Amino acid sequence: MHEVAVIEDPAAAEASLDPMRSRLLAELVEPGSATSLAAKVGLARQKVNYHLRTLERHGLVELVEERRKGNVTERVMQATAASYVISPNALAAVQPDPARSPDRLSARWLLALAAQLVRDVGTLVTGAAKTRKRVATFAIDGEVRFASAADRAAFAEELAQCVTSLVSKYHDESAEGGRDHRVIVAVHPAVKKER
């Protein structure tokens, strides 16, 4: 089971967004059968089986084992990932495009950029999984508290200068066999998690 999987197919996204199927995916972090799940979610076993088959058809759950119980074969299923991210590819016709209105200070542009990041990294992860390879990535996540808006603006300007300097230092347009990498740096107000 993967920690995070990317859903790129619109039909799979639709299947995963159904509230009952979403709950079943959460329950199936640990293997379970339609019978054991029916008791947990309060549905008839036949309805749970219907939802499981839909999730299986879209690659969101997989068969772990089959057990014989009398004249019945019980199918034990497990989610293919502990959590899922829906790629903007699933909404291809309306997915955000940061190139439409680039504005370093716009929250909506940042959102479009984040969607592009999800789409691109999702595509890389999906491709790497098929070839059983890893994707070379790096990320930094942290928080900073600014005393004032002026400090925040000064920080953003200094950060932009530092990143621009690093990119200039290491970017080699003529590197034979080199591989392009995307650099995204974002600063936004922290969202407090509810407990």
Side-chain angles (χ1 to χ4, degrees), residues 12-51:
E14 182 182 2
S16 72
L17 291 172
D18 174 90
M20 181 50 66
R21 292 182 190 141
S22 179
R23 178 146 182 230
L24 291 172
L25 284 173
E27 293 289 344
L28 285 172
V29 170
E30 298 295 326
S33 66
T35 304
S36 67
L37 290 167
K40 290 179 181 178
V41 299
L43 275 183
R45 181 185 53 79
Q46 293 84 351
K47 285 200 177 225
V48 171
N49 249 330
Y50 166 77
H51 289 303

Side-chain angles (χ1 to χ4, degrees), residues 1-6 25 29-30 62 78-85 125 129:
M1 172 191 302
H2 300 290
E3 181 59 35
V4 179
V6 180
L25 284 173
V29 170
E30 298 295 326
E62 60 192 1
Q78 185 170 23
T80 55
S83 57
Y84 298 88
V85 173
V125 166

Side-chain angles (χ1 to χ4, degrees), residues 100-169:
R100 278 195 282 246
S101 57
D103 176 359
R104 288 186 343 180
L105 301 177
S106 165
R108 294 192 187 281
W109 184 68
L110 176 56
L111 195 57
L113 203 56
Q116 176 182 301
L117 179 67
V118 168
R119 184 191 68 227
D120 292 353
V121 175
T123 298
L124 291 168
V125 166
T126 301
K130 289 177 184 173
T131 60
R132 297 188 184 275
K133 293 185 178 177
R134 296 184 63 169
V135 180
T137 62
F138 171 75
I140 296 175
D141 181 27
E143 285 192 27
V144 58
R145 181 180 296 235
F146 298 109
S148 67
D151 284 354
R152 184 184 64 236
F155 175 86
E157 186 57 37
E158 191 172 338
L159 182 61
Q161 289 171 3
C162 288
V163 172
T164 301
S165 174
L166 277 171
V167 169
S168 295
K169 179 178 179 179

